């Protein structure tokens, strides 16, 4: 099948575009049809080219093999003594016949494989296999060439040695110490690329560390308090590395960007609603949170309100879904930790009654797996973590144990390790990048030893290695898969990074090689000048060369030329009140209520106004002018006058 020519592809090009239309549209190329391609013809041409190349390659390899065989035969003939000349002739004939037969077979095989071989040529050892393998259709890329048995044996031995000693992969030869503060480092987060580390603690601070920007002083480039007076419980970078989930002791989780600026804050739910599924957010203290490993912008939190909620960054006003852990009797139970599976399809939570419950992400009603006695009831399970293959779950219990579970058979733990004391509700565990080790930390009382980082082999669950960290508890641990470095948060405010110059990549290796910048002597001696904005020439007000013109302008201004009022002397003058303020109440208090006169007898002072009140009543009397009898003032009278003034009914009674 041949590629169509230009005339067949676009027939309108022969006639040409309409000139009038080209003038109207403003460019001459208007009206031409796009060139079309026949994909089947292109694929057929590619297949033929691949077959031709593979045939040539096979012929070249066969020639090389034939030459090698001839050389070997010549060496053998030279070493062995010649018996007769006839034998040489027979050998030559056999050689020629073998050449002919091999060439004919190669031609037949190449001819038969011309229509079937597609792609790169086959390796040497595959050519020596039976022809029925060659006759089958080969789809996809061919397998790599087989190496020599000796090399394979050496590689197998090396792999077996590495498998036997997973401890050799632990990067603990070097360490650096980052000073976060004086209180417990309760949260660690490292972005997917391993460039920045973020730490949070009981001192409410969140500090940012940039490995590429730090020098040997190991100082954080930013420190902030995103949740004010709440302890930081969890920090985690999103799968894209552009956002950080901050979970504190409050009921509202926050999301900040890489520079510490707030992106969103979850809404707080109504604590007076009984059914927690009807609230828009958490109503009690949070415990931890986790980002979805696949979906951007989705995360999960668990709280003391006995719920696990999923959120979306684009919708901070309401959660996406609500999971309510329950006991076997259907009662509420508080989840203490939660996490996503590696594929994001499962949600696992550990509860205060010792149970571990696993839900399908899209089914919030009943858990998919429920083991009710995973750890001792009443102890806070501080961490659950999935392995990288997604089949194994590790749980760090408050009962000083570390257990391993297979979610395909979630009826009993695979292994259990005892004697791992913990005193913090966020002591975690993690898997090594190759899924062969499990790491967790231990807690100690102050002055009673040192906290350790303990390594367990996943296959046998034996304690294979320990690292003494410091004279305080080990709270957080993080093993980054790309950097191959271990980050540890301790109870005395330190964040340590363990690495190996040969096994680790970037990370702490970038800042260790940088020398600490020393302050220059000239900079220490010089004093910084304090420059106020109005002292700069561009902000400074221009000075008046002559004061006479300025005085004339001030005289025309009514505000500046107004004569100031004299101070108040006495109770008040000119409508102004004295020192008691300018309100009406203060004026009354000053002039009426507290007006002290020289009247020594208050009765005389009142009766002094009796005649004026009787002649000209103003306050009370006008209101009772029609109903009030004539005012009678009580006076002292004699008995005769009293008898005269007695009423008639009294006299009759007598």
């Amino acid at each position: 099948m041949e590629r169509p020519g230009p005339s067949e592809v676009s027939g309108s090009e022969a006639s040409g575009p309409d000139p009038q239309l080209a003038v109207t549209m403003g460019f001459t190329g208007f009206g031409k049809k796009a060139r079309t391609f026949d994909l089947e013809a292109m694929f057929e041409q590619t297949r033929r080219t691949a077959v031709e190349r593979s045939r040539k390659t096979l012929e070249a390899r066969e020639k090389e093999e034939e030459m090698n065989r001839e050389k070997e035969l010549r060496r053998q003939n030279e070493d062995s003594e010649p018996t007769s000349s006839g034998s040489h002739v027979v050998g030559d004939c056999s050689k020629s016949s073998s050449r002919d037969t091999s060439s004919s077979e190669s031609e037949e095989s190449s001819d038969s494989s011309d229509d079937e071989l597609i792609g790169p040529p086959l390796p040497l050892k595959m050519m020596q296999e039976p022809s029925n393998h060659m006759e089958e259709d080969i789809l996809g890329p061919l397998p790599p060439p087989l190496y020599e048995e000796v090399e394979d044996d050496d590689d197998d031995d090396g792999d077996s040695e590495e498998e036997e000693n997973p401890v050799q992969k632990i990067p603990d030869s070097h360490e650096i110490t980052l000073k976060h503060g004086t209180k417990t480092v309760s949260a660690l987060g490292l972005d997917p690329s391993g460039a920045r580390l973020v730490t949070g603690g009981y001192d409410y601070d969140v500090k940012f560390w940039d490995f590429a920007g730090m020098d040997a002083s190991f100082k954080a480039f930013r420190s902030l308090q995103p949740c004010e007076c709440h302890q930081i419980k969890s920090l985690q970078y999103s799968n894209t590395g552009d956002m950080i989930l901050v979970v504190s002791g409050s009921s509202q989780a926050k999301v900040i960007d890489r520079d510490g600026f707030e992106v969103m804050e979850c809404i707080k739910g109504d604590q007076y609603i009984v059914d927690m599924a009807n609230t828009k957010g958490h109503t009690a203290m949070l415990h931890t949170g986790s980002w979805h490993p696949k979906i951007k912008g989705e995360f999960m939190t668990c709280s003391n309100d006995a719920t696990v909620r999923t959120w979306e960054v684009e919708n901070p006003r309401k959660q996406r879904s609500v999971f309510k852990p329950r006991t076997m009797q259907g009662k509420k139970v508080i989840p203490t930790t939660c996490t996503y599976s590696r594929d994001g399809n499962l949600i696992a939570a550990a509860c205060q009654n010792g149970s571990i419950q696993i839900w399908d992400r899209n089914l919030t009603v009943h858990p998919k797996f429920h083991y009710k006695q995973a750890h001792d009831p009443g102890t806070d399970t501080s961490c659950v973590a999935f392995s990288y293959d997604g089949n194994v779950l590790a749980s760090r219990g408050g009962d000083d144990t570390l257990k391993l579970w297979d979610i395909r058979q979630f009826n009993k733990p695979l292994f259990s390790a005892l004697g791992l004391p913990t005193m913090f509700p966020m002591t975690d565990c993690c898997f090594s990048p190759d899924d062969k080790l499990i790491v967790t930390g231990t807690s100690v009382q102050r002055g009673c030893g040192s906290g350790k980082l303990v390594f367990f082999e996943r296959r046998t669950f034996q304690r294979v290695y320990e690292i003494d960290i410091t004279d305080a508890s080990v709270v957080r641990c993080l093993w980054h898969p790309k950097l191959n470095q271990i980050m540890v948060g301790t109870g005395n405010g330190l964040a340590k990074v363990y690495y190996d110059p040969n096994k680790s990549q970037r990370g702490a290796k970038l800042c260790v090689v940088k020398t600490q910048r020393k302050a220059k002597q000239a900079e220490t001696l010089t004093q910084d000048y304090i420059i106020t904005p109005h002292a700069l020439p561009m902000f400074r007000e221009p000075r008046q060369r002559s004061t006479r013109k300025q005085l004339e302008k001030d005289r025309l201004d009514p505000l500046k030329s107004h004569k100031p009022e004299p101070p108040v002397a006495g109770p008040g003058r000119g409508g102004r009140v004295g020192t008691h303020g300018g309100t009406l109440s203060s004026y009354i208090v000053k002039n009426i209520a507290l007006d002290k006169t020289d009247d020594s007898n208050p009765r005389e002072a009142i009766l002094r106004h009796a005649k004026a009140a009787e002649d000209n009543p103003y306050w009370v009397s006008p209101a009772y002018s029609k109903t009030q009898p004539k005012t009678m003032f009580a006076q002292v009278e004699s008995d005769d006058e009293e008898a005269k003034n007695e009423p008639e009914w009294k006299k009759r009674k007598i």
Side-chain angles (χ1 to χ4, degrees), residues 59-354:
E59 290 179 356
R61 290 185 178 179
E62 289 175 357
K63 290 180 180 179
E64 290 180 0
E65 289 180 357
E66 193 65 28
M67 294 292 292
N68 294 332
R69 290 175 184 174
E70 290 179 357
K71 290 180 180 179
E72 290 178 359
L73 291 174
R74 288 176 183 175
R75 291 176 183 174
Q76 291 177 1
N77 293 332
E78 290 176 358
D79 294 339
S80 62
E81 294 180 358
T83 57
S84 63
S85 60
S87 63
H88 291 285
V89 175
V90 173
D92 294 336
C93 294
S94 63
K95 290 179 184 177
S96 61
S97 62
S98 64
R99 292 177 192 172
D100 297 336
T101 56
S102 62
S103 61
S104 62
E105 289 176 359
S106 64
E107 288 177 359
E108 291 176 0
S109 62
S110 62
D111 293 336
S112 63
S113 62
D114 283 344
D115 297 332
E116 297 173 357
L117 287 178
I118 299 175
L122 294 174
L124 294 175
K125 289 200 173 183
M126 290 189 66
M127 293 301 301
Q128 299 177 2
E129 295 178 359
S131 60
N132 55 358
H133 296 286
M134 300 292 295
E135 293 175 358
E136 297 178 355
D137 293 337
I138 299 176
L139 300 177
L142 296 174
L146 300 176
Y147 296 98
E148 296 296 331
E149 296 180 357
V150 179
E151 296 178 357
D152 293 339
D153 295 337
D154 294 339
D155 294 340
D156 294 339
D157 294 337
D159 295 339
S160 62
E161 289 178 0
E162 291 181 356
E163 290 179 358
E164 292 175 359
N165 298 321
V167 179
Q168 296 179 358
K169 297 182 179 181
I170 299 176
D172 65 332
S173 60
H174 296 70
E175 66 172 299
I176 63 172
T177 302
L178 307 177
K179 182 68 175 179
H180 174 85
T182 57
K183 296 186 178 180
T184 302
V185 177
S186 56
L188 285 176
L190 197 61
D191 65 343
S193 63
R196 285 188 178 181
L197 174 69
V198 58
T199 59
Y202 281 4
D203 55 358
Y204 322 132
D205 289 337
V206 173
K207 292 189 177 182
F208 294 78
W209 314 80
D210 190 357
F211 290 119
M214 280 194 304
D215 54 10
S217 61
F218 306 130
K219 293 182 179 179
F221 72 91
R222 182 164 293 134
S223 177
L224 51 94
Q225 293 184 354
C227 301
E228 297 180 353
C229 57
H230 294 285
Q231 295 176 350
I232 307 300
K233 293 194 172 183
S234 176
L235 293 171
Q236 187 179 7
Y237 274 91
S238 62
N239 52 0
T240 55
D242 57 345
M243 292 181 290
I244 305 171
L245 175 62
V246 182
V247 177
S248 64
S250 66
S251 60
Q252 296 172 273
K254 286 187 177 182
V255 176
I256 59 177
D257 60 5
R258 288 176 60 88
D259 297 324
F261 297 101
E262 183 176 328
V263 176
M264 64 88 71
E265 182 179 13
C266 298
I267 191 172
K268 185 177 181 180
D270 189 353
Q271 57 187 354
Y272 297 104
I273 296 179
V274 177
D275 189 2
M276 288 291 103
N278 295 327
T279 61
K280 296 181 179 180
H282 287 293
T283 60
M285 179 185 68
L286 298 176
H287 286 289
T288 187
S290 176
W291 286 100
H292 194 283
K294 302 294 183 182
I295 301 176
K296 180 181 179 182
E298 181 180 332
F299 61 94
M300 170 180 55
T301 55
C302 65
S303 170
N304 263 358
D305 59 2
T307 61
V308 177
R309 300 175 190 261
T310 59
W311 303 80
E312 292 178 348
V313 177
E314 293 78 9
N315 185 19
R317 307 305 300 173
K318 188 177 181 181
Q319 74 272 353
R320 179 184 174 275
S321 59
V322 181
F323 299 87
K324 296 186 289 185
R326 292 290 185 265
T327 61
M328 300 302 291
Q329 293 77 23
K331 297 181 180 180
K332 289 183 179 180
V333 62
I334 296 176
T336 57
T337 183
C338 59
T339 186
Y340 281 101
S341 62
R342 294 293 176 177
D343 56 1
N345 295 328
L346 299 178
I347 291 177
C351 305
Q352 281 186 346
N353 64 343

Side-chain angles (χ1 to χ4, degrees), residues 597-609:
T597 59
D598 296 332
D599 297 331
S600 58
N601 190 352
R603 186 173 183 276
E604 293 179 357
I606 294 173
L607 293 177
R608 183 175 57 186
H609 305 283

Side-chain angles (χ1 to χ4, degrees), residues 288-525:
T288 187
S290 176
W291 286 100
H292 194 283
K294 302 294 183 182
I295 301 176
K296 180 181 179 182
E298 181 180 332
F299 61 94
M300 170 180 55
T301 55
C302 65
S303 170
N304 263 358
D305 59 2
T307 61
V308 177
R309 300 175 190 261
T310 59
W311 303 80
E312 292 178 348
V313 177
E314 293 78 9
N315 185 19
R317 307 305 300 173
K318 188 177 181 181
Q319 74 272 353
R320 179 184 174 275
S321 59
V322 181
F323 299 87
K324 296 186 289 185
R326 292 290 185 265
T327 61
M328 300 302 291
Q329 293 77 23
K331 297 181 180 180
K332 289 183 179 180
V333 62
I334 296 176
T336 57
T337 183
C338 59
T339 186
Y340 281 101
S341 62
R342 294 293 176 177
D343 56 1
N345 295 328
L346 299 178
I347 291 177
C351 305
Q352 281 186 346
N353 64 343
S355 65
I356 295 179
Q357 304 181 26
I358 301 177
W359 294 268
D360 191 332
R361 173 178 166 272
N362 299 319
L363 300 176
T364 62
V365 181
H366 298 291
K368 189 175 182 180
F369 304 103
H370 187 177
Y371 193 82
K372 60 181 180 179
Q373 293 180 352
H375 293 277
D376 293 346
T379 60
D380 292 346
T381 304
S382 57
C383 179
V384 287
F386 280 91
S387 61
Y388 285 94
D389 57 13
N391 297 326
V392 177
L393 179 72
S395 61
R396 182 70 163 93
D399 53 357
D400 301 342
T401 61
L402 175 66
K403 295 185 179 182
L404 208 62
W405 310 81
D406 190 345
I407 61 174
R408 295 168 294 185
Q409 296 179 355
F410 201 69
N411 51 7
K412 61 178 181 179
L414 296 176
F415 302 101
S416 179
L418 305 176
L420 302 172
T422 174
M423 296 184 295
F424 293 88
M426 64 280 298
T427 302
D428 56 359
C429 59
C430 63
F431 286 84
S432 62
D434 57 359
D435 257 355
K436 295 181 180 179
L437 296 174
I438 304 172
V439 191
T440 188
T442 61
S443 301
V444 293
Q445 296 285 348
R446 182 175 297 178
C448 298
S450 60
K452 297 180 180 180
L453 197 65
V454 186
F455 296 81
F456 293 90
E457 189 177 2
R458 173 183 166 180
R459 186 168 51 87
T460 61
F461 219 64
Q462 294 180 355
R463 185 182 294 197
V464 294
Y465 196 67
E466 291 181 356
I467 301 177
D468 290 337
I469 305 298
T470 183
D471 57 350
S473 302
V474 176
V475 183
R476 288 285 187 178
C477 60
L478 178 65
W479 196 335
H480 197 269
K482 287 187 178 181
L483 301 183
N484 194 23
Q485 298 178 11
I486 302 175
M487 285 72 181
V488 180
T490 64
N492 55 357
L494 301 179
K496 293 196 172 187
V497 182
Y498 289 86
Y499 68 97
D500 192 316
N502 299 324
K503 303 173 185 177
S504 303
Q505 304 293 330
R506 300 175 63 83
K509 294 170 61 178
L510 299 177
C511 56
V512 172
V513 297
K514 295 181 181 179
T515 58
Q516 185 174 355
R517 181 176 176 271
K518 296 181 180 180
K520 296 182 180 179
Q521 191 70 17
E523 293 181 358
T524 57
L525 295 177

